[in-house]
Amino acid sequence: AQSVAQPEDQVNVAEGNPLTVKCTYSVSGNPYLFWYVQYPNRGLQFLLKYITGDNLVKGSYGFEAEFNKSQTSFHLKKPSALVSDSALYFCAVSSPGVTGGGNKLTFGTGTQLKVEL
Amino acid sequence: DAGITQSPRHKVTETGTPVTLRCHQTENHRYMYWYRQDPGHGLRLIHYSYGVKDTDKGEVSDGYSVSRSKTEDFLLTLESATSSQTSVYFCAISDPPETENTGELFFGEGSRLTVL
């Protein structure tokens, strides 16, 4: 079985400061890792993913994430937060070795990011 | 947003009644999914489809059935709704997993269902 843990329900950060949203995962085989963002009353939007290659992946809106195999983590980061980044962020994992493959995502419970002036 | 339309967007129903939610896409994607979103649980996969008449169960499929008679439509049916099925339901679409877009799902706006 595959699973994702997002240990923080909410992260607060001041605008202009760096932000980190944490994610750890568990999966049999090679992990595919994803971050999605959800704005109020909307569906989720894809931000970035790690499939293979460079451990640091860059995505939309200046976000990046680092895959750490030894710590089974995939933390989301941004060097300078904006108020408009305030949203609900979901980490997700899949694996090519399971039925449904890379598209069968298991999501974490989400982390609410609040960026304040 | 990708061309995904969910209907109805809001529904209130009573325990024991059947409910059908519809997802319609104009993107010609082969894969379609139904998720439910609940506080403290994130999103959980109910059923998915990898082609017309080809469907499979997700992690929370009990009490739900699906049908896909054509590429653009994926229906989710609650045969006899229960209060535990009160949730926000999201449809998603994607390319097949063996493509470079693996894991990149496009989500609809959601359907909020309340079962009294």
Side-chain angles (χ1 to χ4, degrees):
Chain A
Q2 55 194 36
S3 65
V4 169
Q6 293 183 242
E8 302 153 318
D9 290 336
Q10 181 160 322
V11 169
N12 297 322
V13 65
E15 188 175 52
N17 284 0
L19 69 87
T20 299
V21 182
K22 295 179 181 178
C23 170
T24 58
Y25 67 90
S26 174
V27 67
S28 298
N30 294 326
Y32 290 175
L33 295 158
F34 308 86
W35 278 101
Y36 281 77
V37 60
Q38 184 181 32
Y39 298 99
N41 301 312
R42 304 295 298 275
L44 276 68
Q45 298 175 28
F46 169 77
L47 264 183
L48 52 79
K49 69 182 181 184
Y50 170 83
I51 301 297
T52 187
D54 194 347
N55 289 344
L56 183 66
V57 293
K58 295 185 183 296
S60 307
Y61 313 119
F63 284 93
E64 58 189 29
E66 186 165 13
F67 170 60
N68 187 316
K69 187 173 183 178
S70 63
Q71 297 186 5
T72 61
S73 67
F74 190 59
H75 301 331
L76 181 70
K77 300 182 180 185
K78 187 174 182 182
S80 179
L82 299 172
V83 171
S84 58
D85 293 330
S86 299
L88 186 58
Y89 290 81
F90 289 96
C91 183
V93 66
S94 68
S95 177
V98 302
T99 303
N103 281 356
K104 198 170 182 182
L105 271 59
T106 297
F107 286 88
T109 53
T111 298
Q112 185 70 48
L113 174 66
K114 187 173 183 181
V115 182
E116 300 167 310
L117 290 170
Chain B
D1 291 334
I4 308 170
T5 304
Q6 292 186 227
S7 59
R9 295 290 314 281
H10 301 272
K11 186 173 182 64
V12 180
T13 191
E14 295 189 349
T15 298
T17 59
V19 175
T20 295
L21 305 180
R22 179 181 183 237
C23 178
H24 178 78
Q25 61 147 329
T26 58
E27 306 295 319
N28 202 36
H29 282 286
R30 204 173 103 210
Y31 277 65
M32 298 185 76
Y33 312 80
W34 277 107
Y35 282 88
R36 61 177 288 175
Q37 183 177 16
D38 305 286
H41 291 279
L43 273 81
R44 292 178 291 175
L45 181 64
I46 304 171
H47 283 279
Y48 67 101
S49 170
Y50 45 96
V52 174
K53 299 192 188 309
D54 292 324
T55 64
D56 204 354
K57 295 179 179 180
E59 62 179 298
V60 290
S61 59
D62 287 349
Y64 302 94
S65 62
V66 290
S67 65
R68 191 157 177 212
S69 59
K70 45 187 178 177
T71 299
E72 57 266 35
D73 289 326
F74 192 33
L75 304 181
L76 176 71
T77 297
L78 292 65
E79 300 290 349
S80 177
T82 68
S83 58
S84 65
Q85 294 176 311
T86 292
S87 187
V88 181
Y89 292 86
F90 286 97
C91 174
I93 62 175
S94 76
D95 285 329
E98 59 270 19
T99 69
E100 64 179 4
N101 299 323
T102 188
E104 296 179 31
L105 275 57
F106 297 96
F107 284 82
E109 300 276 279
S111 295
R112 184 175 294 274
L113 176 66
T114 301
V115 183
L116 301 176

